[in-house]
Each structure stands twice: as C-alpha cells, then as structure tokens.
C-alpha cells in the first residue's frame, strides 16, 4: 500500500502505517525529553563542566536542534519524501547516542570521578574528549531535528480531506500530542532513573537502543505510508523571487500591472503575470522576458494583496504590517525593563521581578491567548470569504 501522491491526489482510506509512526513518536520522546532536562546534570557531574557552561551547552544544543529542523523540513518538502528523510537522518540520532554512551562507559573518554563539590580536585573535560562530546551532541541534534520536522507532517499526510478523515486527522493530532507527553513521562521515570542511579553509560546506551528500535519499527511500516510528492519549499520560492528580481533590475516596470495579464511574448515584448502595489523591486520578478521556468519569472504573493489595504485614504503595504509586532516588541521590552521589573522587584524581592517558573507560565498563557486570537481571525476570514477583509485583521 505504498501510495505516493501529489497534494491534489485523493486516496481512498486512511493509511495503516500510523501505528509504526506512533511508536517512533513515543520512543523519540522517551529518549529526548529526559536528555534535555538532565543533560546539565551529566555535563556538570560527569564531565565536570561549570554550571554556566553546562547550561550554555544545553541551550546551544536545543537551538541547533531547532535549526536543523528547518533543514529537515526543507529537504522533505523540496527533494525527499518525509518518510525517506526520517530514515535517512534518523540513524544519526542513534549514532550520536551511541557515541555518548561509549564516552560515558569508557573511563579514558571522560574525566576521572571526583567530588564535584570540591572543584579543586575535579578536572574538566578537554581536548579530544571534549570534541567527541560536542560531536555526539550535534549529531543527535541534526538527526532529531530532521525527524522532529517530519513526524507531524507525515502523520497528517495519512489522511484525506473528506469530512470523515478530517475528523480523524484532528483526532490524530490529539493523540500525537498525547504520544509526546506519554513518551516524556516514561522517559522521565525510566531513563532519568537509569542515568542517575545505574550509570550514564547504561542510560545513554538504552537511549541508543530505543532509537534504533523505533527506526526499525518505523521502517517496517514504510510500505503502508502515504507519501506526498515533494512540491518545493517556500524557502526556495522566496529565493527564486529574489534571484529573478535581481536579474530584472535593469528592466523598466510598467506603471500599471494588470493582474494575470497574458501578452504574446514576441521580440521586445514584456509579459506581466500578476499585479502588486508594494515592494516595487520585487515586482520586477513578475516580468517575463520570454523564458520559461521558475528561475526566469515569478508570480506575486497575494495573501496581503487580497485584503483591504486602505486605512481611510491611506494605502498601507502588507509588508509594512510587520512594523506592528516589531514596534510592539520594542516598546514592551523598554517598558518591561524600565518600569515593570523595578516595580515587581520591590514587591517580590526577586532580581528579575518574578521567578523563572512564573515567567514560563506567563509564556504558556501568552501562547494560549495567541491561539485563541488566531482562531477568531481565521473564523472572520472564512466569514468574509466573499468580500475583502481588512488587512489589519492580520495585526493580532
């Protein structure tokens, strides 16, 4: 049942590859969530790094994982199917955990044991051993980032767009989130206990084995997956616009561009594909000099252009709308730093005004509020499908 289909294809039934997808989802979170939360302990207690440098290393590791997720998403959208991307880069995660387990197990690859409270007797990891540590961490980040980018999308690909499967798709994301939470719960009980009480070599070794098991189960379900044909990444299309606009920089842009105008492309004739009133330099990417191909001419983006872009008698460019969040962030940072923090500091006694946990909680509340606002705007957009909604509905 290996079904490869384009975005417009319509398979008949839900894919039966979801169980193996669920297994990999749970296993990767059994392994990775405990590592993220316990890695500072490992770096400080076993590798004898300072608390600050350990925390910085973990922060860089998390950032690298998110950055590599962009690479995985780009490759799966543009060149590879999502299942292929997982099977291609997932083994890197196994390799990385294997290297960490080997380093934790062999005394010659990490500093000798000592009382970490008496730093004068502790020797921090350095030299080739430090290189091995960072190499293993970033190999894990590369593999996990690529897998993380593809798992939710691959699951969504297994459903059609008819009403029945749309409900099933919604249910899938609920269970996908449950799988993440369940995997993290199991990992925080089992993996952390093994790492802290049975040794990091055993704990990390089990992590490597679990990742390998998850990839094998995932590979067993490969014949049953629906795979979207790579249709190109938005990053590629953005780059195409920039390249074509630069190539056409010496051409004159007509004063009025008729939307979807079709003109014969004889000698010296210019074909204009679509109309836009902003970012005049990028408008030149719409000019067709008689050559075919995405790197020869482009059509203009219409998400902002399909809205009512007037504020009274003033025309507002959709791109200008980004001033709103930038200005809001700038003003709020200044207010927070100069007024809110000093006020809270006097009330709570904390140097930062509030505790880190309270700040995290506020972040979660903000994300919930953002989701609610997005839902309201989306409902408004559907209700205004027949007429132009105001550009400023995008501001929240």
């Amino acid at each position: 049942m290996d079904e490869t289909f384009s975005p417009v294809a319509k398979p008949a039934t839900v894919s039966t590859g979801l169980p193996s997808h669920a297994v990999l989802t749970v296993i990767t979170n059994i392994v990775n969530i405990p590592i993220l939360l316990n890695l500072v302990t490992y770096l400080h207690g076993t590798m004898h790094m300072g608390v600050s440098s350990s925390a910085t290393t973990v922060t860089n590791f998390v950032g690298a994982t998110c950055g590599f997720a962009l690479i995985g998403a780009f490759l799966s959208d543009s060149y590879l199917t999502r299942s292929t991307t997982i099977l291609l880069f997932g083994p890197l995660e196994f390799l990385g955990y294997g290297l960490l387990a080997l380093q934790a197990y062999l005394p010659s690859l990490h500093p000798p044991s000592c009382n970490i409270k008496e730093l004068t007797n502790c020797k921090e990891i350095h030299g080739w051993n430090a290189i091995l540590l960072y190499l293993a961490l970033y190999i894990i980040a590369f593999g996990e980032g690529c897998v993380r980018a593809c798992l939710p999308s691959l699951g969504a690909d297994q459903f059609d767009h008819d009403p029945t499967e749309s409900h099933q798709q919604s249910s899938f994301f609920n269970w996908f989130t449950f799988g993440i939470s369940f995997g993290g719960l199991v990992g925080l009980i089992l993996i952390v206990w093994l790492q802290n009480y049975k040794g990091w070599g055993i704990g990390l070794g089990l992590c490597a084995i679990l990742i390998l098991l998850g990839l094998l189960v995932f590979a067993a379900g490969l014949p049953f997956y629906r795979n979207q044909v790579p249709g190109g990444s938005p990053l590629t299309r953005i780059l195409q616009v920039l390249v074509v606009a630069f190539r056409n920089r010496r051409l004159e842009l007509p004063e009025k561009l008729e939307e979807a105008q079709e003109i014969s492309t004889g000698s010296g004739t210019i074909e204009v594909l679509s109309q836009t009133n902003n970012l005049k330099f990028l408008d030149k990417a719409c000019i067709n000099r008689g050559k075919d191909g995405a790197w020869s001419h482009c059509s203009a983006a219409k998400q902002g252009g399909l809205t009512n872009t007037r504020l009274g008698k003033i025309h507002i460019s959709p791109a200008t709308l980004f001033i709103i969040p930038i200005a809001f962030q700038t003003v709020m940072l200044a207010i927070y730093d100069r007024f809110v923090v000093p006020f809270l500091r006097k009330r709570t006694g904390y140097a930062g005004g509030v505790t880190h946990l309270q700040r995290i909680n506020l972040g979660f509340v903000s994300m919930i509020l953002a989701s609610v606002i997005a839902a309201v705007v989306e409902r408004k957009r559907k209700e205004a499908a027949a007429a132009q909604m105001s550009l400023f509905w995008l501001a929240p």
Side-chain angles (χ1 to χ4, degrees):
M1 188 182 167
D2 185 8
E3 300 185 44
T4 302
F5 62 99
S6 66
V8 297
K10 192 173 183 179
T13 57
V14 178
S15 167
T16 55
L18 288 174
S20 57
H21 178 278
V23 169
L24 183 60
T25 300
V26 172
I27 285 180
T28 53
N29 286 281
I30 288 176
V31 170
N32 291 308
I33 290 180
I35 286 295
L36 291 177
L37 299 178
N38 209 26
L39 187 56
V40 170
T41 301
Y42 175 66
L43 297 176
H44 180 60
T46 303
M47 298 302 171
H48 304 160
M49 297 172 62
V51 175
S52 178
S53 58
S54 298
T56 300
T57 299
V58 174
T59 300
N60 294 339
F61 172 72
V62 174
T65 303
C66 296
F68 289 135
L70 293 177
I71 297 177
F74 173 78
L75 292 175
S76 63
D77 287 343
S78 303
Y79 304 105
L80 307 171
T81 62
R82 294 182 177 103
S83 58
T84 302
T85 303
I86 292 174
L87 289 179
L88 189 61
F89 295 103
L92 292 178
E93 198 171 356
F94 164 72
L95 174 62
Y97 279 112
L99 290 175
L100 281 184
L102 185 66
Q103 184 174 39
Y105 181 77
L106 296 178
S108 61
L109 297 180
H110 62 261
S113 300
C114 69
N115 186 354
I116 195 62
K117 296 181 180 179
E118 300 177 3
L119 295 178
T120 55
N121 299 324
C122 294
K123 188 176 182 181
E124 184 176 344
I125 188 172
H126 66 282
W128 289 106
N129 288 348
I131 293 176
L132 177 61
L133 173 65
Y134 288 112
L135 180 64
L137 287 176
Y138 285 104
I139 287 176
I140 292 173
F142 195 8
E144 165 62 12
C146 292
V147 171
R148 180 187 298 181
C150 295
L151 274 176
S153 301
L154 179 62
D157 290 345
Q158 308 312 303
F159 299 90
D160 200 355
H161 299 293
D162 62 62
T164 301
E165 292 198 17
S166 294
H167 288 296
Q168 292 174 330
Q169 186 182 65
S170 176
S171 179
F172 160 77
F173 280 108
N174 292 334
W175 285 106
F176 179 77
T177 305
F178 174 82
I180 294 174
S181 302
F182 178 74
L185 178 64
V186 173
L188 290 173
I189 295 174
L190 174 63
I191 301 297
V192 171
W193 180 80
L194 285 174
Q195 292 168 349
N196 291 341
Y197 295 101
K198 297 300 181 180
W200 281 92
I202 295 176
L204 292 170
L206 178 61
C207 289
I209 293 173
L210 287 174
I211 289 295
L212 179 60
L213 176 63
L215 290 173
L216 290 176
V217 173
F218 180 83
L222 190 62
F224 305 101
Y225 288 119
R226 295 173 177 173
N227 289 302
Q228 290 274 12
V229 174
S233 170
L235 297 177
T236 303
R237 292 190 283 275
I238 291 173
L239 182 60
Q240 287 171 347
V241 171
L242 295 175
V243 170
V244 177
F246 179 78
R247 288 177 176 174
N248 295 345
R249 66 190 183 279
R250 299 185 184 278
L251 297 179
E252 291 293 332
L253 193 66
E255 293 183 2
K256 293 185 179 180
L257 301 178
E258 297 297 329
E259 184 176 356
Q261 180 180 4
E262 295 182 0
I263 307 175
S264 60
T265 55
S267 176
T269 304
I270 295 178
E271 179 184 8
V272 180
L273 296 179
S274 57
Q275 180 179 4
T276 178
N277 294 319
N278 10 198
L279 299 176
K280 294 299 183 180
F281 170 72
L282 297 182
D283 281 350
K284 293 187 177 182
C286 301
I287 300 176
N288 188 342
R289 296 181 296 177
K291 297 181 180 180
D292 295 327
W295 296 93
S296 298
H297 60 268
C298 305
S299 59
K302 294 185 179 180
Q303 185 175 4
L306 290 177
T307 59
N308 182 3
T309 60
R310 290 192 174 276
L311 179 61
K313 296 183 178 181
I314 303 174
H315 171 76
I316 304 295
S317 166
T320 308
L321 199 65
F322 286 99
I323 292 177
I324 295 176
I326 294 174
F328 179 79
Q329 179 176 340
T330 303
V331 172
M332 285 303 300
L333 284 174
I335 294 175
Y336 180 78
D337 184 70
R338 296 300 178 182
F339 298 99
V340 177
V341 172
F343 174 80
L344 292 176
R345 187 183 293 129
K346 293 178 181 179
R347 297 295 185 274
T348 64
Y350 291 107
V354 294
T355 65
H356 292 296
L357 183 59
Q358 289 171 333
R359 193 173 301 174
I360 291 172
N361 289 337
L362 181 61
F364 281 119
V365 172
S366 300
M367 288 192 294
I368 294 172
L369 181 62
S371 299
V372 171
I373 293 174
V376 172
V377 173
E378 179 64 9
R379 181 175 180 178
K380 172 68 176 179
R381 184 193 66 81
K382 290 183 177 180
E383 292 175 351
Q388 281 191 325
M389 64 183 291
S390 171
L391 174 72
F392 291 92
W393 274 96
L394 300 178

